[in-house]
Amino acid sequence: MSSPLSKLSALLPDLAPWRSSGDFRLLWVQGLVTYFGSAMAMIALPLQIKELTGSPLAVGAMGAVELVPLVVFGLYGGALADAADRRKVILWTEAGLGLLAVLLLGNALLPEPMLWPLYVVAAGVSALAGLQRPALDSLLARIVPHEQQTAAAALNSLRWQIGSIAGPAVAGLVVAYAGHAPAYGVTVVCFAVSVLMCRRLSPAPPAHDAEKPSLRGIAEGARYAWSRPVLLGTYAIDMAAMFFAFPNTIFPFLADELDADWSLGLMYAAGSVGSLVLGLTSGWTSKIRRHGLLVAGGAAGWGLAIAAAGWFGNVWLVLLCLAFAGAGDMLSGLGRATIWNQTIPEELRGRLAGIEVLSWSIGPQLGQVRAGAMAGWTGTRAAVWTGGVACVASVGLLCLALPKLLSYDSETDEDSLRRKAQQEATRREAAEAA
């Protein structure tokens, strides 16, 4: 009979990837350093635009200049990750992001800081992030054993949640009490440390027969994704969930309707808190084999929680629902990441990671537009709860249309078994070469 202590330890995050892969440990710490530095700039940049212009439209224009570079360079970055050494892609893009931070610092130190460099840097950061993200995502499938992919995804999500809560909070204090230049200075230092850490990563060269990045190669990746119902299901469910049930842009109006202006910051943080709690108790997810159920169940849970948040009139219940929504979103994300890393062939992993950039970037952007338009038509709370209901309905319809997603089993799926054999062969070759 198991003791309470053993039951508790079973809930704690599975640290197997941390123990088995030095590169994973390095990337985990490097990512935390990078996120902390980026948080400084993410807070300081819009505040500086606000101070220079006094215009909400000028601040909102940042999203417009960021989206197109992210999509275009995300697709190209996917092809590049399959054709180049992923370590070098990560290293050079990280160095580029550090140089952009230097530009922000230099502009902030001018007697009269200029506006246009802020937009140029925002677009540049988005482009470099689009180039880097597929290399980072595809590297995880190479450095972490097949059976530890869910645990690795949980640890990465935990790192992101820690950063998303602590980073902006510290950044807000630095900007408020020290100004923009010190915040950008911290960003520069963080990226310098990150570059030094990236230099220590093991080389991750492409396959010997890898083709140069091209539109044909990108199209090949798209055709592969289209031919795999399980992959299609992960993309479609994520985009549907974000399109219908991502009401962050109307949180200020929801706080007004609940007569709780003080709760606005908590509304934005509640989802991260829910994700963090799930991450800290994610040990059980390492034993799951039916990851398609995680994708669908997590997304449906997200939708239900968002619908409840729009329905309840008590602000504390709303915050609790938003926390449950964050937990559901993370659960779905663990399923998606595991399926991607367990089934996609090594030679296509970068290009499919580029497509993944589209799934997590376009959905929230369009979702904010939907939420704002619906709020103007039906009212704020109705826009929230109807979006949640539509999310649940769309998840159900997609599961009916793509039944292979729900039946996915990592121990019997042909693509999963093929990818596992491919990874084991690569490890044997590396050991023999050493």
Side-chain angles (χ1 to χ4, degrees), residues 78-106:
L80 183 65
D82 285 334
D85 188 320
R86 291 168 186 169
R87 171 187 172 273
K88 291 182 178 179
V89 174
I90 295 168
L91 176 62
W92 286 109
T93 51
E94 198 74 358
L97 290 167
L99 288 176
L100 291 177
V102 171
L103 291 177
L104 287 175
L105 176 59

Side-chain angles (χ1 to χ4, degrees), residues 260-285:
D261 292 343
W262 54 268
S263 69
L264 180 58
L266 294 177
M267 287 184 182
Y268 284 114
S272 294
V273 172
S275 296
L276 179 62
V277 172
L278 183 66
L280 292 172
T281 57
S282 62
W284 61 276
T285 61

Side-chain angles (χ1 to χ4, degrees), residues 28 32 35-36 155-168 272 275-276 280:
W28 198 95
L32 192 61
Y35 193 87
F36 185 81
L155 289 174
N156 278 343
S157 295
L158 185 59
R159 175 194 64 189
W160 189 88
Q161 297 303 335
I162 292 172
S164 67
I165 294 172
S272 294
S275 296
L276 179 62
L280 292 172

Side-chain angles (χ1 to χ4, degrees), residues 25 28 33 55 78 86 95 108 112 141 163 177 190 229 240 251 272 320 339 355 411 420:
R25 292 194 297 273
W28 198 95
V33 171
S55 167
R86 291 168 186 169
E112 294 185 6
Y177 290 101
C190 286
F251 278 170
S272 294
L320 182 63
I339 290 174
I355 294 174
E411 304 229 345
K420 183 176 182 180

Side-chain angles (χ1 to χ4, degrees), residues 137 140-141 149 336-344 349 419:
D137 287 352
L140 188 65
Q149 289 297 329
R336 292 195 306 273
T338 304
I339 290 174
W340 294 340
N341 288 333
Q342 283 188 343
T343 64
I344 298 172
R349 187 66 193 91
R419 175 70 186 108

Side-chain angles (χ1 to χ4, degrees), residues 148-410:
Q148 295 176 9
Q149 289 297 329
T150 304
L155 289 174
N156 278 343
S157 295
L158 185 59
R159 175 194 64 189
W160 189 88
Q161 297 303 335
I162 292 172
S164 67
I165 294 172
V170 175
L173 292 175
V174 171
V175 173
Y177 290 101
H180 303 101
Y184 294 142
V186 173
T187 303
V188 171
V189 171
C190 286
F191 275 106
V193 172
S194 177
V195 167
L196 293 175
M197 297 182 75
C198 288
R199 286 172 57 89
R200 296 174 55 197
L201 289 170
S202 303
H208 297 299
D209 56 350
E211 299 180 2
K212 293 182 178 180
S214 64
L215 290 176
R216 186 180 67 177
I218 294 173
E220 181 185 359
R223 284 195 297 271
Y224 178 86
W226 185 258
S227 69
R228 296 299 192 273
V230 173
L231 289 179
L232 275 182
T234 63
Y235 302 141
I237 284 180
D238 183 39
M239 291 189 70
M242 293 298 102
F243 176 75
F244 288 114
F246 192 77
N248 291 31
T249 193
I250 58 175
F251 278 170
F253 302 96
L254 181 60
D256 285 345
E257 285 203 15
L258 297 173
D259 195 23
D261 292 343
W262 54 268
S263 69
L264 180 58
L266 294 177
M267 287 184 182
Y268 284 114
S272 294
V273 172
S275 296
L276 179 62
V277 172
L278 183 66
L280 292 172
T281 57
S282 62
W284 61 276
T285 61
S286 296
K287 301 177 178 63
I288 298 294
R289 294 166 37 185
R290 304 281 296 278
H291 301 103
L293 289 174
L294 288 185
V295 174
W302 158 272
L304 283 172
I306 292 295
W311 186 262
F312 288 126
N314 181 286
V315 66
W316 293 108
L317 288 176
V318 170
L319 292 172
L320 182 63
C321 290
L322 292 176
F324 275 111
D329 184 44
M330 182 175 175
L331 195 63
S332 185
L334 293 183
R336 292 195 306 273
T338 304
I339 290 174
W340 294 340
N341 288 333
Q342 283 188 343
T343 64
I344 298 172
E346 173 67 18
E347 63 274 12
L348 290 172
R349 187 66 193 91
R351 278 165 282 181
L352 271 293
I355 294 174
E356 291 152 22
V357 169
L358 299 185
S359 76
W360 59 255
S361 63
I362 294 178
Q365 294 285 349
L366 295 179
Q368 295 193 76
V369 174
R370 182 216 67 84
M374 282 292 292
W377 180 38
T378 65
T380 304
R381 289 175 60 189
V384 175
W385 74 259
T386 56
V389 171
C391 169
V392 176
S394 64
V395 169
L397 290 174
L398 287 168
C399 288
L400 290 175
L402 300 166
K404 287 190 176 181
L405 176 65
L406 293 186
S407 63
Y408 173 83
D409 187 320
S410 61

